């Protein structure tokens, strides 16, 4: 899962007769680092924060306001009409029956299994992942779970502990408490950033060669909403063409999907 931090847009259009009319965009965010997060000042961080800053500075006719949502609540908030656009989502993450249209993929990442690196332990430790005690984030969609986010169902099917933080999950792995958690599911980008900032942990972790899932992330807009997917792509187009978006993606350890300007052929 996403989790996406994830991004949500709800637009209030200013008067068409006003000379300085501005589109006010409420951006809903849930913690999906390093894609998105919200700090204590209610400001967006991660790739999302950087992207919104670039869009704001490049477009005098739009402004942004952060609205917090959560992985578990985001679909209900959409159904309630609290927002109209969501960034960095996968169509298979609970959006199949929602009235949305999608852009082409604009981001790519994957999730890997992380265990404590012990003597004699190798990649075979991940062969039967469903037999391990897993720690994961509530509301995220995981490959091993068939993308289900029903905590009750998942607790019946697996030995699983839920939290709201990749950081906490990695700390549980380092604490060597296999009865609680001997495998964490973490996005590759988050893990790379963690190891960059905490190089002493590099030898402590055994990381799976095979990912739990690889996902392409899109931007979704409500059908017949105030802005459509084509208009959103036009908003992003200058950043794609001049390489600014690629630099933002690279700075957070994320990847551009194939076909996006600047992406590396797979």
């Amino acid at each position: 899962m996403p989790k996406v931090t994830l991004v949500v847009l709800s637009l209030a259009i200013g008067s068409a007769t006003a000379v300085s009319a501005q589109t006010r965009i409420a951006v809903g965010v849930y913690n999906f680092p390093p894609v998105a997060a919200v700090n204590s000042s209610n400001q967006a961080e991660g790739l999302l924060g950087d992207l919104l800053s670039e869009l704001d500075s490049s477009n005098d006719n739009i402004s942004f306001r952060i609205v917090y949502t959560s992985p578990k609540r985001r679909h209900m908030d959409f159904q309630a009409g609290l927002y109209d656009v969501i960034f960095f989502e996968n169509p298979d993450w609970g959006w199949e029956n929602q009235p949305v249209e999608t852009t082409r993929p604009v981001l790519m990442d994957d999730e890997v299994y992380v265990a404590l690196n012990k003597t004699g332990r190798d990649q075979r430790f991940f062969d039967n992942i469903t037999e391990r005690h897993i720690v994961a984030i509530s509301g995220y969609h995981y490959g091993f779970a068939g993308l289900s986010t029903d905590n009750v169902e998942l607790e019946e099917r697996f030995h699983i502990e839920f939290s709201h933080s990749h950081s906490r999950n990695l700390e549980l792995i380092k604490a060597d408490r296999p009865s609680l958690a001997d495998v964490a599911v973490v996005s590759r980008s988050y893990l790379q950033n963690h190891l960059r900032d905490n190089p002493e942990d590099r030898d402590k972790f055994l990381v799976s060669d095979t990912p739990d899932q690889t996902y392409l992330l899109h931007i979704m807009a409500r059908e017949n909403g105030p802005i459509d997917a084509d208009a959103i792509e036009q908003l992003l187009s200058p950043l794609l063409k001049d390489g600014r978006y690629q630099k933002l993606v690279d700075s957070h350890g994320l990847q551009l999907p194939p076909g996006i300007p600047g992406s590396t052929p797979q």
Side-chain angles (χ1 to χ4, degrees):
M1 23 99 297
K3 39 27 69 354
V4 192
T5 234
L6 211 63
V7 188
V8 185
L9 303 183
S10 179
L11 283 76
I13 307 299
S15 170
T17 60
V19 174
S20 59
Q22 187 176 70
T23 300
R24 180 69 167 169
I25 303 177
V27 182
V29 186
Y30 68 71
N31 288 325
F32 185 24
V35 177
V38 180
N39 63 26
S40 58
S41 299
N42 202 42
Q43 298 296 313
E45 295 185 329
L47 173 61
L48 168 62
D50 292 343
L51 178 58
L52 293 182
S53 294
E54 287 286 349
L55 291 175
D56 189 48
S57 64
S58 302
N59 298 273
D60 293 335
N61 61 338
I62 61 173
S63 63
F64 301 97
R65 178 174 62 86
I66 301 302
V67 177
Y68 180 76
T69 186
S70 72
K72 295 288 285 186
R73 200 177 66 238
R74 71 193 193 272
H75 302 103
M76 292 183 290
D77 286 350
F78 180 82
Q79 292 167 353
L82 299 184
Y83 64 87
D84 294 301
V85 178
I86 186 164
F87 277 50
F88 307 129
E89 267 284 1
N90 185 287
D92 294 331
W93 291 353
W95 297 99
E96 296 88 344
N97 298 316
Q98 301 291 343
V100 294
E101 55 184 55
T102 66
T103 67
R104 59 178 169 169
V106 295
L107 197 64
M108 183 169 67
D109 200 7
D110 53 18
E111 284 163 344
V112 293
Y113 303 126
V114 181
L116 194 64
N117 191 15
K118 292 185 175 183
T119 302
R121 182 175 287 181
D122 57 23
Q123 289 295 314
R124 289 172 295 182
F125 185 76
F126 303 114
D127 286 348
N128 298 304
I129 193 67
T130 59
E131 297 179 2
R132 305 298 179 190
H133 287 82
I134 302 167
V135 61
I137 294 183
S138 180
Y140 280 21
H141 300 258
Y142 294 105
F144 75 88
L147 305 184
S148 173
T149 60
D150 185 331
N151 287 6
V152 174
E153 173 201 344
L154 296 178
E155 287 170 346
E156 292 175 349
R157 293 170 56 197
F158 308 107
H159 305 290
I160 191 166
E161 172 83 7
F162 293 104
S163 82
H164 300 282
S165 165
H166 282 316
S167 176
R168 176 182 182 272
N169 294 352
L170 292 178
E171 288 300 318
L172 285 174
I173 296 301
K174 290 195 295 182
D176 194 14
R177 299 175 61 189
S179 62
L180 178 62
D182 52 10
V183 172
V185 192
V186 181
S187 69
R188 189 181 302 276
S189 57
Y190 181 90
L191 181 62
Q192 290 175 341
N193 290 342
H194 174 87
L195 296 178
R196 179 198 63 203
D197 297 336
N198 303 274
E200 69 277 6
D201 284 351
R202 190 169 297 276
D203 293 333
K204 296 178 182 178
F205 294 138
L206 176 67
V207 180
S208 65
D209 292 336
T210 302
D212 173 72
Q213 65 173 322
T214 298
Y215 42 79
L216 297 174
L217 301 178
H218 307 245
I219 307 168
M220 300 184 187
R222 184 186 302 276
E223 292 179 356
N224 302 314
I227 187 170
D228 60 24
D230 287 341
I232 294 169
E233 289 202 11
Q234 291 174 19
L235 196 66
L236 286 173
S237 181
L239 281 68
L240 293 170
K241 290 179 178 178
D242 66 13
R244 279 180 289 168
Y245 182 65
Q246 179 189 0
K247 290 179 181 178
L248 297 181
V249 169
D250 291 346
S251 70
H252 293 284
L254 292 154
Q255 304 172 65
L256 291 174
I260 291 290
S263 61
T264 302
Q266 300 298 301

